[in-house]
């Protein structure tokens, strides 16, 4: 078998969106499954829309997902000499020609076709005129006029198109820049791409590209077109369904493993299995498992996957990905691993982890108003004072001793955990969400815990009225 070589070829006109990331993953998995190579190519021939910022956004998304590519990556804008060389070859073989048709003439052709309910296509007016370069002229590929072009799609089966349905597409614009369908063929040929895996919105381009391969007497790669991605309402996935950029999901606190698992299940399946490690994806992935029907992006499923991976991935893996979120919050990630270990059992994403854990690493000036109103009342002062007395007596600040101290106060005052734990939790963290109270005390440390309890007692005394005693 010839070496498997796949590619991901995004245009740098925006972020790496979910659809592009799914295509990149499928191409990457196919190459890795077959021990082949995966190529990254930036298709930036659209000079007006392509930006360096968008290119970097794509590279950042690929890096976060850890979809590594073999060797450096290619930019189409750096290959113009090669494109012109191939265009010249086609001109010399009469497989391409100059077209001088004006925009007005082309618009009339289109309008007439629409009125007659025909598919708009160029009529080949300049094909046999032997024209040369001129201002405003384009170069068109001389598509075969008879017969058919066929291929076996790796996901959809046999696809047959009559050449009469295809017009002579423009391969070079008036400004000398080559067009997408032409550049793709030259690139895939030069990069020895064996399998082209891409969205099914490209399937109509494939017959045109195959005819260019034939004109160049070049081997035609295998094609696999994967289904489009829909939102839960059945319409194409877009911003109205929520985030569509891969990096947005990182920013919202999702683990890369969760996003990759969600992506691989968008149009691909292996029995009833829902959860796949990256190693399993590489081992099991094949295009025969790709569905023809459109896939639905389910955020609820992604949330479920994220909670699963938060709990089950190695602690160092979760901590490594949490580091970015700590840094965004202005907190040094060093020393945060114990907090991550405790919090990951009870939160849904890394953003929540950091927002609910800031109090372990930095002081706060205000209490959550609703939690303070409910739990920092005058009746809490004797509870917090009793806790202070018990906690100060602890010499070895360990979880077992801390738990015993809290239960001693419950017995001493004859009250339940809620009337001890919640005032203490708000005093320590400023809000009502934290791990178990003994773990919270342990992670907070002796000095910080005692200082915050003292601060809370003073705050209650200064801010609460006597009539609150009985509430």
């Amino acid at each position: 078998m010839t070496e498997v070589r796949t590619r991901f070829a995004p245009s740098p006109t925006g972020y790496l969106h979910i659809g592009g990331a799914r295509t990149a993953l499928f191409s990457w998995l196919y190459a890795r499954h077959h021990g082949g190579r995966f190529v990254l190519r930036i298709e930036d021939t659209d000079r007006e829309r392509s930006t360096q910022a968008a290119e970097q956004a794509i590279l950042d998304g690929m890096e976060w997902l850890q979809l590594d590519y073999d060797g450096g990556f290619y930019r189409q804008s750096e290959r113009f000499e090669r494109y012109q060389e191939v265009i010249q070859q086609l001109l010399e073989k009469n497989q391409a020609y100059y077209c001088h048709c004006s925009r007005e003439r082309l618009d009339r052709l289109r309008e007439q076709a629409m009125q007659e309910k025909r598919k708009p296509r160029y009529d080949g007016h300049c094909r046999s005129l032997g024209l040369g370069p001129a201002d405003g002229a384009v170069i068109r590929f001389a598509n075969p006029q008879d017969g058919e072009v066929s291929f076996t799609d790796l996901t959809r089966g046999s696809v047959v198109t009559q050449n009469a349905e295809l017009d002579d597409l423009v391969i070079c614009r008036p400004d000398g820049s080559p067009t997408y369908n032409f550049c793709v063929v030259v690139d895939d040929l030069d990069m020895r791409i064996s399998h082209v895996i891409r969205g099914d919105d490209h399937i109509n381009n494939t017959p045109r590209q195959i005819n260019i391969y034939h004109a160049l007497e070049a081997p035609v790669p295998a094609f696999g077109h994967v289904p489009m991605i829909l939102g839960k309402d059945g319409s194409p996935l877009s911003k109205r369904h929520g985030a569509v950029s891969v990096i947005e999901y990182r920013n919202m606190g999702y683990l890369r493993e969760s996003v990759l698992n969600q992506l691989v299940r968008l149009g691909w399946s292996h029995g009833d299995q829902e959860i796949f490690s990256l190693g399993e994806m590489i081992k099991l992935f094949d295009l025969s498992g790709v569905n023809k029907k459109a896939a639905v992006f389910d955020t609820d499923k992604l949330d479920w996957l994220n909670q699963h991976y938060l709990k089950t991935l190695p602690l160092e893996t979760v901590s490594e990905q949490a580091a970015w979120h700590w840094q965004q919050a202005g907190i040094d990630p060093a020393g945060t691993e114990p907090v991550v270990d405790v919090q990951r059992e009870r939160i849904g994403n890394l953003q929540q982890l950091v927002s609910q854990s800031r109090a372990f690493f930095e002081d706060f000036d205000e209490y959550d108003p609703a939690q303070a109103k409910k739990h920092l009342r005058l009746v809490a002062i004797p509870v917090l004072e009793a806790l202070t007395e018990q906690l100060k007596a602890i010499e070895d600040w360990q979880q077992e001793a801390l738990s015993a101290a809290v239960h001693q106060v419950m017995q001493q005052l004859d009250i339940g955990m809620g009337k001890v734990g919640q005032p203490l939790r708000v005093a320590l963290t400023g809000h009502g969400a934290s791990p178990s109270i003994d773990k919270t005390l342990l992670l907070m440390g002796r000095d910080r815990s005692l200082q915050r309890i003292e601060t809370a007692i003073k705050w209650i005394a200064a801010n609460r009225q006597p009539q609150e005693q009985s509430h």
Side-chain angles (χ1 to χ4, degrees):
M1 180 180 179
T2 305
E3 181 189 38
V4 169
R5 293 176 67 92
T6 65
R7 47 75 159 178
F8 176 51
S11 298
T13 55
Y15 44 74
L16 177 59
H17 56 78
I18 288 296
R22 193 269 305 266
T23 299
L25 176 62
F26 281 13
S27 298
W28 184 89
L29 287 173
Y30 193 82
R32 297 294 178 251
H33 175 81
H34 290 283
R37 297 176 70 80
F38 172 67
V39 174
L40 176 63
R41 183 171 75 227
I42 303 297
E43 298 191 337
D44 57 348
T45 54
D46 188 339
R47 296 171 176 176
E48 292 185 2
R49 297 178 61 221
S50 298
T51 67
Q52 182 61 42
E55 178 181 302
Q56 190 59 51
I58 291 168
L59 296 176
D60 289 346
M62 294 287 286
E63 181 180 8
W64 181 65
L65 292 175
Q66 295 187 340
L67 299 180
D68 57 317
Y69 39 91
D70 297 299
F73 65 91
Y74 301 88
R75 291 188 186 91
Q76 284 186 335
S77 59
E78 297 171 353
R79 291 174 44 79
F80 274 31
E81 284 189 19
R82 171 60 176 156
Y83 302 139
Q84 293 302 326
E85 175 187 324
V86 177
I87 288 172
Q88 191 59 40
Q89 291 176 8
L90 292 174
L91 286 169
E92 291 172 359
K93 294 166 61 178
N94 292 322
Q95 291 176 320
Y97 61 91
Y98 283 96
C99 173
H100 292 190
C101 290
S102 65
R103 170 53 55 190
E104 290 75 19
R105 182 177 188 278
L106 297 175
D107 287 343
R108 287 197 302 272
L109 282 177
R110 172 177 290 274
E111 184 178 338
Q112 182 178 351
M114 298 293 282
Q115 289 176 352
E116 296 174 359
K117 297 184 179 180
R118 292 185 287 107
K119 181 179 178 180
R121 58 191 299 275
Y122 180 61
D123 62 357
H125 175 75
C126 296
R127 182 171 178 136
S128 59
L129 298 182
L131 301 173
D135 288 344
V138 301
I139 299 175
R140 291 181 180 272
F141 173 66
N143 193 77
Q145 295 176 300
D146 302 315
E148 63 184 27
V149 55
S150 63
F151 67 100
T152 300
D153 192 277
L154 296 174
T155 65
R156 302 168 68 96
S158 177
V159 179
V160 180
T161 304
Q162 300 301 314
N163 278 317
E165 297 178 20
L166 306 174
D167 60 1
D168 294 349
L169 64 92
V170 174
I171 60 175
C172 187
R173 303 180 183 93
D175 64 359
S177 62
T179 60
Y180 165 78
N181 275 301
F182 172 74
C183 293
V184 165
V185 172
V186 178
D187 289 339
D188 286 344
L189 171 59
D190 288 353
M191 296 167 196
R192 306 192 312 281
I193 300 303
S194 65
H195 293 76
V196 175
I197 300 169
R198 57 190 179 187
D200 61 8
D201 54 323
H202 286 285
I203 197 164
N204 290 334
N205 292 326
T206 304
R208 303 172 184 275
Q209 293 169 10
I210 289 176
N211 280 336
I212 297 176
Y213 278 106
H214 291 328
L216 297 174
E217 299 179 357
V220 179
F223 291 91
H225 293 88
V226 297
M228 69 186 303
I229 301 174
L230 306 178
K232 291 183 73 173
D233 62 358
S235 62
L237 190 68
S238 66
K239 287 186 177 181
R240 70 174 176 274
H241 298 109
V244 292
S245 162
V246 165
I247 288 297
E248 280 187 81
Y249 284 96
R250 179 203 65 180
N251 297 350
M252 291 190 296
Y254 290 95
L255 294 160
R256 71 170 62 90
E257 288 79 2
S258 310
V259 175
L260 287 169
N261 200 142
Q262 178 82 333
L263 289 174
V264 81
R265 291 288 286 112
L266 291 174
W268 177 81
S269 61
H270 180 76
D272 295 328
Q273 187 171 341
E274 291 285 352
I275 295 173
F276 297 86
S277 68
L278 193 57
E280 287 178 310
M281 293 183 203
I282 293 172
K283 179 181 178 181
L284 299 172
F285 184 83
D286 197 78
L287 290 172
S288 61
V290 174
N291 305 317
K292 295 180 182 179
K293 295 196 306 182
V296 176
F297 189 88
D298 187 344
T299 306
D300 292 338
K301 177 62 70 65
L302 179 60
D303 290 339
W304 176 79
L305 286 167
N306 209 52
Q307 290 178 319
H308 166 79
Y309 282 110
L310 280 167
K311 294 175 182 178
T312 59
L313 283 173
L315 175 58
E316 57 268 27
T317 300
V318 179
S319 293
E320 175 264 321
Q321 294 188 57
W324 183 87
H325 295 272
W326 292 118
Q327 291 166 345
Q328 296 303 301
I331 297 171
D332 185 351
T336 59
E337 195 167 277
V339 172
V340 173
D341 193 24
V342 171
Q343 291 281 49
R344 67 182 180 143
E345 290 286 336
R346 50 181 306 279
I347 49 88
N349 60 64
L350 297 176
Q351 194 177 62
Q352 290 177 6
L353 184 151
V354 171
S355 66
Q356 293 184 19
S357 304
R358 298 179 70 111
F360 291 108
F361 304 100
E362 59 185 18
D363 291 332
F364 52 87
D365 298 324
E366 297 180 351
Y367 298 104
D368 177 88
Q371 294 297 321
K373 181 178 181 180
K374 186 174 181 180
H375 299 295
L376 295 188
R377 299 184 289 132
L378 288 174
V379 71
I381 289 180
V383 176
L384 295 174
E385 289 176 338
L387 282 165
T388 299
E389 183 179 350
Q390 290 290 332
L391 294 173
K392 281 184 175 180
I394 297 176
E395 296 181 1
D396 188 11
W397 196 264
Q398 296 298 324
Q399 187 174 338
E400 185 176 344
L402 296 170
S403 179
V406 171
H407 282 83
Q408 179 63 34
V409 171
M410 290 167 56
Q411 293 178 0
Q412 177 183 328
L413 300 179
D414 192 23
I415 55 178
M417 173 59 81
K419 293 186 178 180
V420 177
Q422 282 307 105
L424 179 55
R425 182 172 277 110
V426 178
L428 294 173
T429 68
H431 53 76
S434 80
S436 64
I437 201 63
D438 51 356
K439 290 181 180 179
T440 301
L441 284 163
L442 177 66
L443 292 169
M444 199 67 69
R446 187 178 195 279
D447 293 343
R448 180 172 275 160
S449 294
L450 292 171
Q451 178 265 318
R452 288 188 178 173
I453 295 171
E454 180 183 354
T455 299
I457 292 172
K458 293 179 179 178
W459 187 91
I460 295 170
N463 290 275
R464 296 305 184 213
Q465 302 298 319
Q467 59 264 34
E468 293 184 349
Q469 179 74 37
S470 58
H471 288 182

